[in-house]
Structure formats: C-alpha cells, structure tokens
Amino acid sequence: LSEDSSVLDAAMHWKVRHRKGQLIYDEGEPARAMYRLDQGCVRLQVIGPEGDRQIVAFLFPGDHFGVCVDTRTSSAEAVTDVELTRYALQSVLDLSGRSTEVTVRLMKTAETLYGDLAHHVEQIAHLNAPDRLLWFLHRLMQHAHLQKMETIKLPMSRRDIADYLGLSQETLSRVTRQLQQAGYIEARGPRSFILRRLDLPGRATASDQGVKSAA
Amino acid sequence: LSEDSSVLDAAMHWKVRHRKGQLIYDEGEPARAMYRLDQGCVRLQVIGPEGDRQIVAFLFPGDHFGVCVDTRTSSAEAVTDVELTRYALQSVLDLSGRSTEVTVRLMKTAETLYGDLAHHVEQIAHLNAPDRLLWFLHRLMQHAHLQKMETIKLPMSRRDIADYLGLSQETLSRVTRQLQQAGYIEARGPRSFILRRLDLPGRATASDQGVKSAA
DNA sequence: CGACAACTTGAACCTGATCAAAACTTGTGG
DNA sequence: CCACAAGTTTTGATCAGGTTCAAGTTGTCG
C-alpha cells in the first residue's frame, strides 16, 4: 500500500524509519526535507510557553507532511513506529521549477492541512467535551485507510487524543465512558472502538440529551 | 506603503476594493485568484455547523492571502474598507513554473499562516481569558505596520476579537476592564489602547496575581 | 434628536480543570 | 511464569472560570 505513485517520486528520495515516540523534526529547525508517511502514524504539535502540548494534526499512510521551505513551524513525532519516504527539499524545488503539477500538489497539501486546522480550532472553541470526542472519531472513520473495517484501532494514547482535543486526560476518560453508556461507542479492547450511532449531534439535539441522561 | 515590490507583480494583477463587512471569497468556492492586502484589515474565518464563527486570522497591509489552487478552506471578509491587489491564479502558477523564487514565496506565505494558526490553537486551548487578550494585543504590536505608534488602534469589533480568541463577547468585555484596572492596558477611545506592561505572563506569575487581585 | 447596533454589567449556573489516589498495562529480569 | 517497577488510564470530590440570559449603557449615523 505504501507504493503509491507520487509526482514527487521524480525527486531525490529514500526510505527512513523512526521508532515510536521519536522526533522527526523540531519546531524552529531549518527545513531540509519533506516526507510522505508510508506506514504508521505521525503527530504534528507545538509546545506552548508553559510546556503545554497542542497536537495540531495526526497523519496516516499516504499523507504528506513537512512541506516547508524555511523554518519548521511545528514539530513532528512518531506516534507508532513509522516508515516514511524522505524527499530532499532542494530536489523537490528543482522539480517544481520544471513541472507545475508538483507545485500544485505541494500547495494542495498545505491547503488541506490548513483547512483541517481551521476547523479544528472551530471545534475546540465551540464544542463541548463529548461532541469533541465524537467529532474526532468520525474524522478518523472518514480516513480512507480505515473505511473498510468498522472497528477503529486507535494508534495514539489517550494523552495524545486529549492534547489534540484540548481536554484534560481525566475529562477525556469520563467522556469516553459516558459515550459508551449512551450507546455511541463500544469498546473492543483498550484502544479499539466501534462507532454505533453515526449521527453527529448538533449542539442541542436528541443525541445531546442521550449523553446527558447517561451522566 | 502599498507599493511593495512583490515577486508576484510579474503575474497578471489589478487593484480591487471591498466595503467593510463584504465577503471577498467564501469557503467551498473554487479558487481563481490570490490577493495581497494593501490597505485595511481582512479576516479569515470558518463557520461551524451550529453557526458559530471562528476567526482564524486577521490580515494587515503587506500580507498575502488566498493562496490556494483548489477549493477555499476558509472564507475571507473585509474588516474595514479594504484595497487589495488581486492576482490571477493561473498567471501565478505559470510564473512559478518559470521561477522557483515565486514558488518559494507562495510556500512561505502558507507556512507562516499555518504556524500562526498552530500557535493560535495552542493559546485557545491552554490560556485563560485575560492571558488570551494580552497575547492578542502583543501579537498586534509585533506587526510592522504598528510598531512606530505606541497606541494600538483596533480595526475590528469586540465581536471579532471574541470570535478570534474563542471567548464570549461578555467575557472579553469583563477581561478588558480587569486588565485596565490592573494597569496592563489603558483605553484611548473605544477602539484604541496603550499597552502599559509588556511582560507576557506565564501561567502563574506575578502578573497573573495582578489581574486576579483586581477582580 | 431618535433609532439601531455595539458594547457593558449583573446574577445564576454548569462544564471541565485540578489534585490525589486507585486500578490497570506494560515491560523486565529472575 | 511470576513479581516488580514504571507508565498509563480511570475514578472521585471539589472548585473556579467562563457561559448564558437578560437588562442596561454607550456609541454611531441617519
């Protein structure tokens, strides 16, 4: 599955691996390469002045990341053991000088990431805890690599999910239980879930009541 | 000041104007152009499923925006009357095929926007209301076009600021008063402020206490 | 000056954070 | 295979910060 034909493959590239938890690049570093994730899961994150971590994206096989010509604005870490294709930045730039297709591709990657983050902010700012978790699980489901199976295997820790959703670990834990009791999700082992009800609740719909009545 | 020489000026471009409050482009539209802001202030925003607005960026003269080759992932609206330079997308793409410099420039624009938003999420998720407002004012100060004057003239409404910081209007109003009483800011008319103390408080520093003691 | 929008203030409520402790995993070496 | 230690997740009780709703005030523009 990792052998997608990418327009970037004309650029200089090679495979690299990282262990679970390892830093791929750090915020503030000069960018020398960009990547495609072939296997595993990667998180993009920033660390606030007080040491608070905010995860801004989870990436899955097929996703490109680290598209950057200057200084890294976020750091990337391996959530699981990962396998990536690393493209030399200069080589990619040269290539984009010859083919508009490459330029377009790079920009689309950046756009997608930006659009996702924009909506991510919106969700964090306006959704309550249970809705955030549901929204997160639904987004995971939409990812191509998961569509076939109805059971979601989460590669990331609870801590990671909490830092992604802007919740404390404790609240995330409680909310998970509430959603189970309300029949939204069903546990299948410690990091696997089945989504039972696929309706994303509006702020004050029947579903909202369902969660509350379970509390 | 609006006549910066931009590498993009080799592309087809012309001036356009928009009235205060007008939509420049909407989320979901196909992108046909990108822009440089010459005069005024623009906001980028998304609207959530329940109608909640989240402002993801404020833009000022000299900033480029709308760099997009596909579908708009956020909408852009004029905060004040604005004057912009509109660049035809196709023309910019052609240009980037000839000069890597243009490509690099476009990517840098996108990167900056992404980095800002990443930190924006972090602030919203981890800072309390007074600190968010201070952070916002400090960021405004850093903007080149304001550096000379010590009085900050805010072009946007309270509502806009609240929607940017993920606060309710009411909380923003209260917090503004508290910061004034604590000597952080001083009002100079309804939309103008002077920043008195330039120390950005860590989560639990003296400054934090200062705010609290005023409450 | 009047009407409408923007902004402020007040009081009650409620969600999610915090701190502390218990339960559960995971990995390691005997 | 079990025991132990380190890490992760859960649970409980308490509390504070921010939202909400409603009414007041100020500002702006005809």
Side-chain angles (χ1 to χ4, degrees):
Chain A
L1 71 167
S2 56
E3 289 311 324
D4 294 299
S5 66
S6 165
V7 286
L8 290 181
D9 285 348
M12 195 158 66
H13 67 281
W14 56 95
K15 294 260 176 191
V16 292
R17 287 160 186 285
H18 286 270
R19 276 288 145 64
K20 177 175 177 171
Q22 244 190 308
L23 186 70
I24 299 168
Y25 57 76
D26 201 4
E27 178 172 0
E29 280 179 14
R32 274 186 272 277
M34 43 169 300
Y35 302 87
R36 185 187 62 210
L37 178 53
D38 294 321
Q39 199 62 243
C41 178
V42 165
R43 59 176 179 253
L44 301 185
Q45 60 189 33
V46 295
I47 309 289
E50 298 93 13
D52 299 311
R53 181 179 66 158
Q54 177 66 46
I55 295 181
V56 292
F58 287 114
L59 302 166
F60 297 96
D63 291 341
H64 291 258
F65 67 100
V67 177
C68 183
V69 294
D70 202 343
T71 296
R72 299 290 185 198
T73 53
S74 62
S75 53
E77 288 185 2
V79 171
T80 63
D81 288 356
V82 295
E83 208 171 295
L84 341 141
T85 305
R86 182 185 159 108
Y87 300 89
L89 175 64
Q90 193 50 57
S91 175
V92 172
L93 284 180
D94 290 348
L95 192 64
S96 85
R98 263 170 283 124
S99 130
T100 306
E101 198 194 346
V102 173
T103 309
V104 169
R105 193 61 196 280
L106 294 179
M107 288 178 62
K108 272 193 189 171
T109 304
E111 274 163 54
T112 304
L113 227 45
Y114 191 78
D116 284 352
L117 188 49
H119 287 91
H120 186 177
V121 187
E122 197 270 319
Q123 306 291 2
I124 285 185
H126 299 296
L127 256 45
N128 59 14
D131 287 352
R132 285 190 220 180
L133 179 53
L134 278 178
W135 168 77
F136 174 70
L137 294 174
H138 280 264
R139 283 199 76 255
L140 280 191
M141 286 292 286
Q142 289 160 12
H143 251 275
H145 71 111
L146 284 169
Q147 273 177 348
K148 29 201 148 186
M149 6 194 193
E150 67 162 1
T151 303
I152 308 181
K153 174 86 180 65
L154 301 174
M156 67 291 284
S157 70
R158 300 301 227 253
R159 166 93 265 169
D160 283 345
I161 300 175
D163 284 350
Y164 180 77
L165 296 177
L167 297 171
S168 67
Q169 294 176 97
E170 295 93 332
T171 298
L172 179 63
S173 177
R174 281 182 255 271
V175 158
T176 305
R177 180 165 42 76
Q178 286 169 17
L179 288 182
Q180 278 176 211
Q181 290 169 355
Y184 277 90
I185 59 182
E186 196 173 308
R188 279 274 182 277
R191 286 192 178 184
S192 293
F193 290 97
I194 295 180
L195 273 180
R196 279 294 170 212
R197 305 171 56 178
L198 288 178
D199 51 315
L200 251 193
R203 184 171 301 282
T205 63
S207 50
D208 204 1
Q209 296 164 17
V211 174
K212 276 179 184 159
S213 67
Chain B
L1 70 167
S2 56
E3 289 311 326
D4 294 298
S5 67
S6 165
V7 286
L8 291 181
D9 286 348
M12 194 158 68
H13 66 280
W14 57 94
K15 293 261 176 190
V16 291
R17 287 161 186 285
H18 285 271
R19 276 289 144 64
K20 179 177 177 170
Q22 244 191 310
L23 186 70
I24 299 168
Y25 56 76
D26 202 3
E27 178 172 359
E29 280 178 16
R32 274 186 271 278
M34 43 170 298
Y35 303 86
R36 185 187 62 209
L37 178 52
D38 294 319
Q39 199 63 242
C41 178
V42 164
R43 59 177 180 253
L44 301 184
Q45 60 189 32
V46 295
I47 308 290
E50 298 92 14
D52 298 311
R53 181 179 67 158
Q54 178 65 46
I55 295 181
V56 292
F58 287 114
L59 301 166
F60 297 97
D63 291 341
H64 291 258
F65 68 99
V67 176
C68 182
V69 295
D70 200 344
T71 296
R72 299 289 184 198
T73 53
S74 61
S75 53
E77 289 184 4
V79 171
T80 62
D81 288 357
V82 295
E83 207 172 294
L84 343 139
T85 306
R86 181 186 160 108
Y87 300 89
L89 175 64
Q90 193 52 56
S91 175
V92 172
L93 284 180
D94 291 348
L95 191 63
S96 85
R98 264 170 282 126
S99 131
T100 305
E101 197 194 348
V102 173
T103 308
V104 168
R105 193 63 195 277
L106 294 179
M107 288 178 63
K108 273 194 189 171
T109 304
E111 275 164 53
T112 303
L113 227 44
Y114 191 77
D116 284 351
L117 188 48
H119 287 92
H120 186 178
V121 186
E122 197 271 318
Q123 305 293 0
I124 285 185
H126 299 296
L127 256 44
N128 59 15
D131 287 351
R132 285 190 220 180
L133 178 53
L134 277 178
W135 168 78
F136 173 71
L137 294 174
H138 280 265
R139 283 199 76 256
L140 280 191
M141 285 293 286
Q142 288 161 14
H143 252 276
H145 70 109
L146 284 169
Q147 275 177 347
K148 27 202 151 189
M149 10 194 190
E150 67 161 3
T151 302
I152 307 181
K153 174 83 180 68
L154 301 174
M156 68 291 283
S157 70
R158 300 300 227 249
R159 167 92 265 171
D160 283 343
I161 299 175
D163 285 350
Y164 181 79
L165 296 177
L167 297 171
S168 67
Q169 293 175 97
E170 294 92 332
T171 298
L172 179 63
S173 176
R174 281 182 256 270
V175 158
T176 305
R177 180 165 41 77
Q178 285 169 18
L179 288 182
Q180 278 176 209
Q181 290 169 356
Y184 277 90
I185 57 181
E186 194 174 311
R188 280 274 183 277
R191 286 191 178 184
S192 294
F193 291 97
I194 295 180
L195 272 180
R196 278 295 172 212
R197 306 170 54 176
L198 289 177
D199 51 314
L200 251 192
R203 183 168 304 280
T205 62
S207 50
D208 205 1
Q209 296 164 18
V211 174
K212 277 177 184 158
S213 66

